[in-house]
Amino acid sequence: MPDLEPQRQRVYTPDSVVTEAPWARAVIIAFTAIFLALFLLLPLGLIFREALAKGVGDYWQALTDPDAVSAIRLTLLVAAIAVPLNLVFGVAASWAIAKFDFPGKSFLITLVDLPFSVSPVVAGLVYVLLFGAQGLLGPWLQEHNIQIVFALPGIVLATVFVTFPFVARELIPLMQDQGTADEEAALTLGASGLRAFLTVTLPNIRWALLYGVLLCNARAMGEFGAVSVVSGHIRGLTNTMPLHVEILYNEYNFVAAFAVASLLAILALVTLIGKTVLEWRYGEAISGRH
Amino acid sequence: MSVAVAAPRRRPFIRKTGALPGFGLALGYALSWLGFIVLLPLAALFLRASSAGVEGFAVTLSDPRVQHALLLSFGVSAIAALFATLAGVIIAWALTRYDFPGRQVVDAMVDLPFALPTAVAGIALAALYAPDGLLGAPLAKLGWQVVYNPIGIFIALVFIGLPYAVRTVQPLIAEIDRELEEAAATLGATRWQTVFQVLVPPLAPAALTGLALAFARGLGEYGSVIFIAGNLPGVSEIAPLLIVIKLSEFDYTGATVIAVIMLALAFLMLLVINLIQAWSRRRMGNA
């Protein structure tokens, strides 16, 4: 999979030989502006317009509705469990992959990236087939009174699946780039392995780690398809924010639907700002390119 | 077309000369977690599919509703990915080559479809293009209906695919050696010739990769599509939605069959992307 992160760019000063004619430039810039305004800005702006269509009072009421509050709580809880799980996995996987050589390494990297190629709906389905009442482990789970699908564990598992590669894929290229010399020096100077990791590796990767966590968190809080399949849509119990948005929208309660949606849109904007700031400020520390 | 999802060899041996600790722990943990979260559930899917057998596949696939959903998902994703790639290359060019006010903000905005939850994008697009919506109303006057038909799906998938198209091409545009363009100009090429004979060929593999990524993502997309599509069976019902419907009808075999087909297509795209990149590396030397 290619690197999707934007790189630091150099802006070229116009030079008649190696750039387009002024009219062509104007057309291309105008196309970019109009296209992005139509496809990105307009939908984003519409969310806030619709949310506030009946005034701030209705907006606030929609957000403080008990079902909305429990959806917000559940979303925060799921992200608080899923993101740390993927953080630990990401660090462990990239430590093994970047600092050591072993056969099958590139195959392992492909497997780590695999969840990105799986449709969110299929991601939800596989857990239903494994843990659902009709699933492989269903009878055993029922016997022991363990509920996974249509309950919190299923939602967390589906969320972990769809956000699985986020942290690892930020760290692997960076840690491969950094090599093992720093850690070896620390070990030579008498540091324990754990100490070398905490005082040498971790500071080296902290910005990339934060970057990965930021993207992972945005997806974890916003995941819809996978969670929708495993949640069972029980109001006040297994409804996350995106699922609650769907229910309100299908009930034609547009103000409330867009009010909850506006919180998720704010999350997306904060994520974008954080991501951009990290890229500007610590671009090299994240990408490992110099 | 099944893809083996066997775990990598169980006891890899360390060939590194370095003496860093923690290899066994890190790899063991990573492999077990990968197995539990990704491989075991996917294995359950393939197990279920194999127990459905040829008959299960035949029954599900002979249903015109399933055929239509698969063809629709495949066709609209392909067209939307193509459109997103063409627009994405132009946008990437503008963002990399030209300086204009607000360029950096626009650049950051391109990632919005990555960051915005799909359900939120879905209801926003549906409201925007509804017959009484901000864009839907003027389009309705022209006699165009966008929601509740494949055009709506197309719009949602262009939205979703755009960042893939822009972000795969953008770094390559930034890396183009300007001396090549100067050389072409000195040799008497018009700017038009330079763009199509000097610049487009090295960008083609990246554009194709972006196309494949946008297509793969579009194929599986659910949240941003279902609201604008209206989900009329045989008209605007996509394959991922049909999986959800089959599940709610407790038709586990039907859901599994559609899922396996979509998964196979996704793996095929992964393979195509890897082939494109291998081809591009061979062609460009060590790019």
Side-chain angles (χ1 to χ4, degrees), chain A residues 43-53 58-60 62-63 72 241-242 245 248 254-270, chain B residues 116-117 119-121 123-124:
Chain A
L44 184 67
L46 184 99
I47 297 165
F48 294 98
R49 202 191 74 155
E50 295 283 323
L52 294 166
D58 280 31
Y59 179 74
W60 186 247
L63 293 184
I72 295 169
M241 285 167 80
V245 168
L248 292 170
F254 293 135
V255 168
F258 279 101
V260 179
S262 74
L263 291 185
L264 290 167
I266 291 170
L267 167 75
L269 288 176
V270 169
Chain B
L116 196 66
V120 175
I123 63 165

Side-chain angles (χ1 to χ4, degrees), chain B residues 38-55:
Chain B
V38 180
L39 302 182
L40 181 69
L42 284 180
L45 178 74
F46 285 107
L47 202 68
R48 183 96 202 188
S50 67
S51 73
V54 181
E55 199 189 336

Side-chain angles (χ1 to χ4, degrees), chain A residues 4 9 11-12 17-20 32 36 39-40 46 89 95 99-100 114 117 119 125 127 161 184 275, chain B residues 16 20-21 23 33 37 93-94 98 103 106-107 109 111 124 159 167 170 178 185 191 220 259 266-267 270:
Chain A
L4 289 177
Q9 295 145 18
V11 177
Y12 296 93
V17 190
V18 288
T19 190
E20 286 67 48
T32 301
L36 294 180
F39 269 87
L40 302 183
L46 184 99
F89 165 77
W95 179 265
K99 305 285 185 188
F100 301 89
L114 193 63
S117 324
S119 167
L125 172 70
Y127 287 107
F161 184 100
E184 277 160 12
K275 177 176 177 296
Chain B
K16 241 208 117 302
L20 294 190
F23 175 70
W33 192 236
I37 293 292
W93 187 265
Y98 307 148
R103 189 186 61 84
V106 174
D107 196 355
M109 282 292 297
D111 282 326
F159 175 85
R167 295 303 186 218
Q170 203 173 8
R178 295 230 114 188
R191 184 64 191 162
F267 289 159
L270 213 60

Side-chain angles (χ1 to χ4, degrees), chain A residues 124-143 146 148-150, chain B residues 40-41 43-45 47-49 51 247 250-253 256:
Chain A
L125 172 70
V126 293
Y127 287 107
V128 173
L129 292 180
L130 192 59
F131 298 120
Q134 309 264 329
L136 278 179
L137 304 176
W140 187 86
L141 289 170
Q142 258 173 347
E143 231 168 72
I146 305 172
I148 292 187
V149 170
F150 305 147
Chain B
L40 181 69
L45 178 74
L47 202 68
R48 183 96 202 188
S51 73
L247 261 183
F250 301 103
D251 179 5
Y252 286 81
T253 306
T256 304

Side-chain angles (χ1 to χ4, degrees), chain B residues 8 10 22 39 79 84 91 114 154 166 180 187 241 243 263 267:
Chain B
R10 209 162 299 154
L39 302 182
I79 299 169
I91 291 167
F114 278 154
F154 168 81
V166 175
L180 287 176
L187 292 170
L241 177 72
I243 294 180
L263 213 53
F267 289 159

